[in-house]
Amino acid sequence: MMTDERKQELESLCLRFRNELIDLLHEIQTGHPGGSLSCLEILTTLYTEKMNHNPKNPKMEGRDRLILSKGHAAPILYMNLAEQGYFKKEELKTLRQINSNLQGHPCMHKTAGVELSTGPLGLGLGAGLGMCLGERLKGNDSYIYVILGDGEIQEGSIWESVMAASKFNADHLIAILDNNGVQLDGTLEAIMPMGDIKSKWEAFGWNVIPCDGHDVSSISDAVDKAKENKGKPTLILAKTVKGKGISFMEGKNIWHGKAISDEDYKNAKAELGGAC
């Protein structure tokens, strides 16, 4: 159970990340604000509170691993990695620039702490299952976290992996769905409705835990419950808001990858309480 003091510390960190994310994406005039803001608390809680990892030894045997399958949210992944010490924070300003180690989507060959190169949606869950089974064969007690987008779960490869994970009783595989209801071209309901997501995953043999994806204590509790589960993989169904924290971005698909203008930057910073 997360203490109130620890919750306040993480909430302060998340607010700082929101400000720094908007600063960065405005400065470089590229990147994906909407989806980065929606999974911000999820990634921050995992890296600061729940995962067994070591920035001084990124390839540590027996470590937990995180796969950002919705790879367009790379900016907030990189901010967490830099905060943890995987690389210097100054590098963040090179995001999406030529010869940068910080590609527009995560690259495991360039960036310390990135466990899998992602971008084409649907890849992460199958790879995460493979990592999970590999760690089991080694006798390691490692957990594999896979962050999915809800537009992504329209991909057939996801459901093949869902079936296989259940078949192999992969209880150290924890998928977290960033369930913001919006994808690149519109809402989930308008493009390809997924119906009752909880019931679907349960029908495939998964343990499903709903949580508030913007409440760090709710995310932390959900992870704890997932680890208590034995014999089944777990989906944490995290209800989120695309563009969370900036009213004119919230729930709007146009902010999937839109550049932040000077006027939008000024308004966003005013809402976040940060100086321009």
Side-chain angles (χ1 to χ4, degrees), residues 109-139:
H109 303 294
K110 286 182 171 289
T111 312
V114 171
E115 298 285 359
L116 183 73
S117 300
T118 56
L121 297 179
L123 297 180
L125 193 59
L129 172 59
M131 292 178 187
C132 181
L133 297 179
E135 293 300 295
R136 177 194 290 177
L137 287 172
K138 295 177 185 177

Side-chain angles (χ1 to χ4, degrees), residues 19 22 245 248 263-276:
N19 272 286
I22 296 304
F248 60 86
E263 185 66 20
D264 288 331
Y265 174 67
K266 179 181 176 181
N267 293 334
K269 293 293 285 185
E271 290 192 19
L272 294 173
C276 292

Side-chain angles (χ1 to χ4, degrees), residues 10-19 40-41 44 216:
L10 290 189
E11 288 174 342
S12 294
L13 177 59
C14 289
L15 179 57
R16 173 161 67 82
F17 278 159
R18 273 194 167 77
N19 272 286
L40 189 150
E41 281 82 7
T44 303
V216 293

Side-chain angles (χ1 to χ4, degrees), residues 170-186:
D171 54 15
H172 278 47
L173 177 64
I174 301 176
I176 303 179
L177 181 61
D178 180 13
N179 183 208
N180 61 40
V182 182
Q183 56 192 100
L184 173 62
D185 292 326

